[in-house]
C-alpha cells in the first residue's frame, strides 16, 4: 500500500511554501485507517510498552486506537494550560521562540516503558521534547512512531530513542510532477 496515494496534500498551508500532509483523507477511509492502526499496533507490540502517549492533537488519533487494540493505557501530551490538575511541563525551542508541552502528574510511573505516537515527524522538536518529558517523569522511551516522516528535515536525527515511520515523504511531493 502506497500511503501517498491516500493522503491529500494541501499546498501552501498553513503558510506559503509548506505542503500539508492531511491525514483527514486517511480517516475518511476506514479500511485504510484500520490497516494503518494494525501496522502501528504491531510496531508498538514488539516493544513491550506499558503506556502509549499521543502528541496533541493528531497523535491522539494515531495513539488511542493503538492503545485500545493493545489494551494499554493512553495519555495525552498537550500544550501548556490544556490539562487539568497538576502537570509536568517541558519547554523546547522552536524556529522562532519556545513552546511548552505537559502531561498530567502521575501518568508515568517510574521505569514505565512508553511509546510516543504522532501523525507526522518534521523537525523533531515536539517529539524530542516529549521524550525529554517522559524521562523527566521517570519513564523509558521504547519507541517514537509516526505515520509520515518528512525525512529531508532530519527530525529523527534529533531523537536519542528508537524511531520508526510508516512512510518517508518528501518536502515537495509535487517537484517530480511539476518537472515532468
Amino acid at each position: 500500500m502506497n500511503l501517498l496515494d491516500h493522503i491529500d496534500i494541501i499546498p501552501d498551508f498553513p503558510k506559503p511554501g509548506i505542503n500539508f500532509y492531511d491525514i483527514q483523507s486517511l480517516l475518511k477511509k476506514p479500511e485504510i485507517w484500520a490497516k494503518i492502526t494494525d501496522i502501528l499496533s504491531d510496531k508498538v507490540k514488539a516493544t513491550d510498552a506499558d503506556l502509549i502517549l499521543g502528541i496533541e492533537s493528531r497523535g491522539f488519533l494515531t495513539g488511542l486506537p493503538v492503545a485500545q487494540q493493545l489494551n494499554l493505557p493512553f495519555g495525552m501530551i498537550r500544550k501548556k494550560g490544556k490539562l487539568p490538575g497538576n502537570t509536568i511541563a517541558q519547554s523546547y525551542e522552536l524556529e522562532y521562540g519556545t513552546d511548552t508541552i505537559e502531561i498530567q502528574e502521575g501518568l508515568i510511573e517510574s521505569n514505565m516503558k512508553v511509546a510516543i505516537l504522532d501523525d507526522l515527524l518534521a523537525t523533531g522538536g515536539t517529539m524530542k521534547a516529549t521524550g525529554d518529558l517522559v524521562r523527566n517523569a521517570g519513564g523509558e522511551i521504547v519507541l517514537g512512531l509516526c505515520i509520515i516522516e518528512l525525512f529531508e528535515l532530519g527530525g529523527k536525527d534529533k531523537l536519542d530513542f528508537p524511531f520508526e515511520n510508516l512512510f518517508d515523504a518528501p518536502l515537495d511531493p509535487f517537484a517530480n510532477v511539476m518537472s515532468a
Side-chain angles (χ1 to χ4, degrees):
M1 167 177 54
N2 183 353
L3 284 179
L4 194 54
D5 294 339
H6 301 281
I7 297 173
D8 292 337
I9 301 167
I10 315 301
D12 298 320
F13 183 82
K15 62 183 184 178
I18 302 292
N19 291 307
F20 185 81
Y21 286 78
D22 187 9
I23 67 163
Q24 176 63 52
S25 52
L26 296 173
L27 296 170
K28 293 187 305 187
K29 300 174 181 174
E31 68 286 352
I32 301 293
W33 191 251
K35 287 180 185 178
I36 290 168
T37 299
D38 288 345
I39 295 167
L40 293 171
S41 295
D42 287 345
K43 291 182 178 295
V44 171
K45 188 175 183 178
T47 69
D48 293 324
D50 301 311
L51 172 71
I52 294 178
L53 292 179
I55 299 174
E56 185 172 346
S57 65
R58 290 179 300 272
F60 302 165
L61 300 171
T62 57
L64 184 57
V66 170
Q68 290 175 324
Q69 189 166 336
L70 298 177
N71 197 31
L72 291 173
F74 176 78
M76 297 180 289
I77 297 293
R78 303 229 36 209
K79 292 186 181 195
K80 186 176 180 164
K82 302 275 185 157
L83 290 171
N86 294 330
T87 60
I88 302 170
Q90 179 70 43
S91 294
Y92 62 102
E93 298 292 321
L94 298 169
E95 190 174 351
Y96 300 102
T98 61
D99 206 351
T100 302
I101 55 173
E102 296 179 322
I103 58 168
Q104 288 178 313
E105 196 173 274
L107 176 65
I108 298 175
E109 299 171 10
S110 181
N111 299 315
M112 186 174 259
K113 295 178 183 177
V114 178
I116 305 166
L117 274 72
D118 206 355
D119 67 322
L120 183 136
L121 183 78
T123 63
T126 308
M127 180 73 72
K128 180 187 180 318
T130 300
D132 293 343
L133 185 61
V134 167
R135 288 189 181 120
N136 290 340
E140 171 192 349
I141 305 109
V142 294
L143 182 62
L145 181 59
C146 292
I147 297 171
I148 304 163
E149 177 188 351
L150 299 178
F151 64 91
E152 294 165 317
L153 295 177
K156 73 176 168 188
D157 296 337
K158 293 180 182 174
L159 307 178
D160 60 353
F161 50 84
F163 174 80
E164 293 185 43
N165 69 68
L166 304 189
F167 178 72
D168 286 329
L171 279 175
D172 186 359
F174 304 112
N176 292 335
V177 173
M178 297 302 194
S179 64

